[in-house]
Amino acid sequence: MSTIHLQNLVKKFGDFTALKTMDLAIADGEFMALLGPSGCGKSTTMNMIAGMEEPTSGKILFGDRDMAGVPMGRRGVGFVFQNYAIFTHMSVRQNLAYGPKMRGAAKAEIDRRVGTIAEMLQLTPLLDRKADRLSVNILQRVAIGRSTIMEPAIFLLDEPLSNVDAAFRAVMRTELKQLQRQFRQTMVYVTHDQLEAMTMADRIAVMDHGILQQVGTPLEVYNDPANVFVARFIGAPGMNLLKGRPAESDRGLVIDLGPLGATPPLPAGIADTVRRARGEVFYGFRPEQVTLVESGSGLSMPVSFVERIGARTIVHLGEGETAVKAVFENDVGLAIGQTAVIAPAEPSVRVFDAAAGRAMRAG
Ligand code: ATP
C-alpha cells in the first residue's frame, strides 16, 4: 500500500518553524498537490517525505511503515526537482536506462522499459542524442522519464515545470496526469501554480506560512474555501471579499457594505449562522459568477480598469477595500469611469467571519 500519512508533522530550522503541525492523509494512487505561495513550507514537507530532511517532531507513514530514520534510497520514492538532474555526458537512452541498469535488470527488460517510457514522453526520436545538446524542456522530460522508469510506488515532484516554457508546460500537465493514470503511483506534486494544481491533482493541500489551510478537490477549494486566504489564493482572479455588517431587512438578512449599500438577502441556511455570530463578515463571491443588472438591484460601482484577454474581459470595480473584479466571457462594453451595477449569483455567495477569517457554513 502506498498511502502516505503525515501525523503532527513539525519542522523547525533553529527558532524558525517552517511547518506547523501538519496532518495529511494521501490515498494510494492519489495525485496530491501541495500548493501555496513561496516560503509556505511545501518543499520542506516534500523533503521530509522524501527522506532528505528529518522532521523535528511527528510521523511520516508509508502504508503502516514508520519512515523515521529510513534513508531516501530505501523509501522507494521517485523524485523530480525544479532543476532536472540528469547526466549530460550520456545520451537520452543511457539516462533512461541508468536506474534499471544499476538495479541489475536484464538488457531486454531495460530496452523494453526505455522504449515504453520514451514513447510515452515523446522521446523516441531523441533517444540517441547526447543530453548536453537538448533544451531545458526536453531535459526535464528526460528527468521525469528517469524517475518514472523505476516505477516507484510514490512519485514526488517539486516544481518540475517551473523552468520550462509556457507552451511546453501545458503539454506536460496533460502528460504527467496521463503518466500517473497509467502507473497509478501515489503522486505528491509541489507547486505555487494553481493552474497546475487545479488541472492535475485529485486533491489539493493549500498551505500558507507553514500551516495547512485546506485539503480538498480542486472544485471544493474553489467553491468552498475554508478561509479568506484560500478564497483569495484560489482562482484567477481570486474571490472578491467585501467587509460588512449583518443587518436585518424586510427581505431577510443582508450584509450592510457601508457606502456600497446592502447586499441581496443571504440564503436561509447561511443567514442563520451569520445571524447567530453577529460580528463583522466578509461577503465573498467569485468574479466569474457576476452578472450586470439594472440600477437599484445590485451593487453599484465605478469601473476603474478593463482588461481584455482574448474572449474574456476582467472588469475592475471600485478601489481600496471595496475593490472587486468581475470576469465576463465577452466584451460587455464597459469603460473606465462608467458605473456598473453587478449582482453575484446567489449560489456562489460565501460568508467569512472577518475576525477569524474562517468560512461560515450553513447549519
Ligand atoms: P518555495 O516555492 O519558495 O521553495 P516553499 O513553500 O517550498 O517555497 P520551503 O522551501 O519549504 O518553502 O521553505 C519554508 C520556509 O523555511 C522558508 O521561509 C525558508 O526560508 C525556510 N527554510 C527552508 N529550508 C531552510 C533551512 N535549511 N534553514 C533555514 N530555513 C529554511
Side-chain angles (χ1 to χ4, degrees):
M1 278 286 282
S2 306
T3 56
I4 303 173
H5 276 91
L6 311 183
Q7 296 177 342
N8 295 320
L9 202 62
V10 175
K11 181 66 184 178
K12 293 186 182 177
F13 294 106
D15 289 343
F16 176 72
T17 305
L19 189 72
K20 293 173 194 152
T21 328
M22 171 113 156
D23 283 289
L24 184 65
I26 304 172
D28 189 28
E30 184 170 35
F31 192 135
M32 175 70 78
L34 305 183
L35 174 69
S38 182
C40 71
K42 310 179 291 288
S43 295
T44 301
T45 306
M46 186 71 119
N47 293 344
M48 287 191 285
I49 298 173
M52 293 194 298
E53 295 270 10
E54 277 297 314
T56 305
S57 59
K59 273 190 185 176
I60 298 172
L61 305 176
F62 288 179
D64 51 15
R65 272 183 70 211
D66 189 339
M67 287 293 120
V70 179
M72 188 174 180
R74 296 245 189 89
R75 292 195 179 194
V77 296
F79 206 133
V80 176
F81 304 89
Q82 181 172 345
N83 296 314
Y84 52 84
I86 63 166
F87 300 121
T88 47
H89 62 285
M90 291 184 184
S91 67
V92 171
R93 186 189 306 279
Q94 287 166 328
N95 265 288
L96 293 178
Y98 185 83
K101 208 168 163 185
M102 286 295 115
R103 286 240 180 113
K107 181 162 185 323
E109 170 64 8
I110 295 175
D111 288 348
R112 187 190 64 75
R113 277 160 69 176
V114 168
T116 309
I117 294 290
E119 222 20 61
M120 282 177 72
L121 288 167
Q122 300 176 39
L123 290 169
T124 307
L126 304 172
L127 274 174
D128 294 314
R129 294 271 288 275
K130 276 268 292 295
D132 62 359
R133 307 252 169 84
L134 299 170
S135 69
V136 170
N137 291 352
I138 301 297
L139 289 175
Q140 190 58 301
R141 203 173 244 184
V142 177
I144 291 166
R146 268 188 51 152
S147 274
T148 311
I149 203 163
M150 301 303 286
E151 298 178 3
I154 293 175
F155 201 12
L156 308 175
L157 298 104
D158 192 344
E159 306 258 12
L161 305 184
S162 56
N163 286 344
V164 306
D165 59 50
F168 194 73
R169 206 175 302 150
V171 174
M172 287 305 290
R173 283 201 301 267
T174 315
E175 283 184 13
L176 278 172
K177 186 70 199 167
Q178 282 168 350
L179 211 68
Q180 192 249 354
R181 285 227 175 92
Q182 182 146 346
F183 285 94
R184 307 204 124 276
Q185 302 125 325
T186 306
M187 200 122 144
V188 188
Y189 189 101
V190 163
T191 182
H192 63 269
D193 178 346
Q194 57 165 303
L195 187 61
E196 285 180 16
M198 297 295 265
T199 51
M200 289 192 282
D202 297 314
R203 285 190 305 156
I204 302 175
V206 186
M207 301 173 68
D208 186 40
H209 283 100
I211 298 173
L212 179 61
Q213 305 285 327
Q214 183 172 8
V215 187
T217 65
L219 278 183
E220 279 164 0
V221 295
Y222 176 82
N223 287 328
D224 284 308
N227 57 38
V228 165
F229 172 80
V230 179
R232 287 204 180 105
F233 189 73
I234 299 288
M239 186 178 270
N240 293 310
L241 296 167
L242 293 170
K243 204 181 240 186
R245 285 201 165 274
E248 294 294 349
S249 80
D250 49 7
R251 296 167 300 148
L253 192 74
V254 298
I255 308 298
D256 178 357
L257 298 174
L260 286 180
T263 66
L266 296 180
I270 185 72
D272 289 343
T273 308
V274 174
R275 205 174 262 125
R276 277 196 300 274
R278 292 210 180 113
E280 273 194 316
V281 297
F282 282 112
Y283 179 77
F285 54 96
R286 287 278 168 205
E288 298 81 10
Q289 314 249 334
V290 163
T291 48
L292 292 174
V293 293
E294 295 291 308
S295 179
S297 52
L299 304 173
S300 184
M301 304 181 80
V303 176
S304 58
F305 192 63
V306 178
E307 286 176 87
R308 292 198 176 85
I309 308 166
R312 274 172 111 216
T313 306
I314 305 178
V315 181
H316 299 230
L317 301 153
E319 56 180 18
E321 288 214 335
T322 60
V324 301
K325 290 176 188 164
V327 175
F328 300 102
E329 287 307 321
N330 45 33
D331 182 5
V332 284
L334 286 168
I336 297 173
Q338 286 183 325
T339 297
V341 187
I342 59 163
E346 192 190 285
S348 81
V349 168
R350 298 290 176 268
V351 184
F352 300 83
D353 175 330
R358 273 194 299 273
M360 303 173 87
R361 313 258 193 226

